[in-house]
Amino acid sequence: MLIVDDQKVVRHTLSLCLRNLGYEGCYEASNGKEAKRVIEEHQIDVIFCDLNMPVEDGFEVLRYLGASHYQGAIVLMSSEEQDVLQSTSQLARLYNLQIIGCLPKPLTAADIKSMLLDWAALPTVSMGKLLNEGALSSEQLIQFIEQGSVKAYFQPQIDLNTQAIQGFEVLARIEESPQKILMPDLFIPAAEGDATLILALTKSIIQSAYEDVKQHWDYVSSLSFSFNISGRVLEHDNFPNWLKDISEKYSIPTHQIVCELTETALNDDQAITDAQMLRMRMLKFKLSIDDFGTGYSSIAQLHAIPFNELKIDKCFIFDCLTNSKSATVVEQSVKMAKALGLTVVAEGVESAEVVEFLHRLGCDSAQGYFYAKPAPLSDFISETWFINRAYPQ
Ligand code: G
Ligand code: G
Ligand code: MN
């Protein structure tokens, strides 16, 4: 275990407490810099990390752990209010880090004990390793890709001014059998760990979607198609040109293709990703910033890259009618997007009331279960609202 805190008394108390609980030999670090050194040199299963430290703070430690794909558990500690701790643990999840608890300061032995007991009792969290149950191995995934089991599902995006469909987001599924459809959480995280694999997967989803689009072209020729593009995919220099070539092959104009990039995807080498995004723009693809509001680098990125669209994350949309903080995030995101000349899509719209709220704020379009769940493209072609091009009000 590793304790990172600038206050000696905190480190001392916590270390004593852990020893009493049977955890011997804790490492200690008084700032982020020292913590990184310990993590590089030792196998650490649990990190207790303070947020406010003068040299390199807890946020820097989290960023570092995310970048180095740390697999162990993390406990956040702070005298900040509970909602700051909560938001920080949400941030950490974006880095695929495992936060097992947030301890308010001053620490108490009882809090520490109950949290560690819960953690030890969790079946999925074994020391230092996290097993994602049911997740596909790389070999399985490669096999599914090769046998053509990767399928594109389509979720409509509705123009809030006209109630007409304006396009689809394409979401990956694997058809293990006609009865068994595997969801992305079973294969995307693993694929993203391997730049070659996520590239192969992304290409096969796009190819599969283009086949469907071509087949139904007469019905969808005016619509946009959004793909989720992981930052790892952009590490491949020739991806933008590959996308241009395949779009030409299927006669789909590049301005109808939207590349959704998540903030977390925009990671390690900023210069490379930025250059790739600019290439995409020069080829006339549209760029969208996905899951907006859940990361913390978004504003800087909006500045640096000519995005066309901003997608407000569903976590803010879900409770925007009951949670004033979410409502504020939605409202401000719309305002900011408008000021920057971007179109705004709200994701996770589940009710007519939310549609109404978004429309009032000036949000351009909406996507969510209220309209439709992701499904094969052919399912939509026969729907009357689709044919009539207006969603019933
Ligand atoms: O489809 P679902 O509704 O369960 O999607 C879950 C998550 O998987 C979403 O966050 C989405 O961005 C991601 N996802 C779905 N399809 C793709 C894909 O083709 N590529 C990448 N990189 N992520 C995807
Ligand atoms: O992260 P990304 O925005 O790419 O992923 C979109 C995800 O959101 C997909 O998993 C999709 O199935 C899901 N989704 C879309 N609309 C809704 C909704 O209205 N409710 C819920 N719960 N999930 C939604
Ligand atoms: Mn998306």
Side-chain angles (χ1 to χ4, degrees), residues 123-315:
T124 47
V125 188
S126 62
M127 272 288 190
K129 275 271 172 280
L130 259 173
L131 299 171
N132 188 350
E133 212 163 335
L136 300 182
S137 67
S138 306
E139 293 72 29
Q140 286 171 309
L141 184 51
I142 290 168
Q143 203 180 354
F144 281 127
I145 295 172
E146 284 174 353
Q147 68 200 29
S149 306
V150 176
K151 292 282 180 270
Y153 271 44
F154 293 73
Q155 189 178 34
Q157 297 182 331
I158 307 294
D159 181 325
L160 287 174
N161 285 312
T162 60
Q163 295 296 312
I165 179 166
Q166 64 170 41
F168 288 103
E169 176 173 2
V170 175
L171 294 152
R173 300 288 184 265
I174 287 179
E175 246 174 39
E176 189 173 355
S177 70
Q179 294 77 33
K180 193 160 180 213
I181 309 292
L182 306 180
M183 300 297 281
D185 55 329
L186 296 181
F187 54 89
I188 296 285
E192 282 183 334
D194 176 341
T196 317
L197 192 50
I198 187 70
L199 179 70
L201 183 65
T202 304
K203 285 182 171 180
S204 96
I205 291 153
I206 294 173
Q207 174 125 29
S208 157
Y210 277 9
E211 281 294 330
D212 298 336
V213 167
K214 187 176 127 193
Q215 196 185 340
H216 300 288
W217 183 247
D218 290 349
Y219 296 92
V220 301
S221 62
S222 63
L223 304 182
S224 64
F225 301 94
S226 303
F227 295 101
N228 291 289
I229 307 295
S230 148
R232 308 285 323 251
V233 167
L234 292 181
E235 287 173 17
H236 299 270
D237 269 352
N238 51 9
F239 179 76
N241 274 320
W242 176 87
L243 189 56
K244 173 180 88 70
D245 290 344
I246 191 164
S247 304
E248 261 168 23
K249 182 176 153 205
Y250 284 88
S251 309
I252 302 175
T254 55
H255 69 260
Q256 281 170 256
I257 302 304
V258 183
C259 296
E260 293 188 4
L261 300 133
T262 52
E263 297 170 50
T264 36
L266 310 174
N267 48 21
D268 301 341
D269 199 331
Q270 195 62 50
I272 295 181
T273 351
D274 286 7
Q276 288 286 71
M277 287 195 265
L278 292 169
R279 278 190 191 122
M280 309 277 272
R281 274 304 302 271
M282 290 199 289
L283 296 169
K284 307 296 175 217
F285 293 108
K286 297 264 161 47
L287 294 184
S288 171
I289 189 154
D290 204 359
D291 303 341
F292 185 78
T294 56
Y296 72 141
S297 48
S298 38
I299 312 242
Q301 252 129 22
L302 281 177
H303 232 292
I305 312 288
F307 280 101
N308 306 88
E309 176 188 276
L310 180 155
K311 290 188 86 173
I312 305 176
D313 192 69
K314 53 184 176 294
C315 71

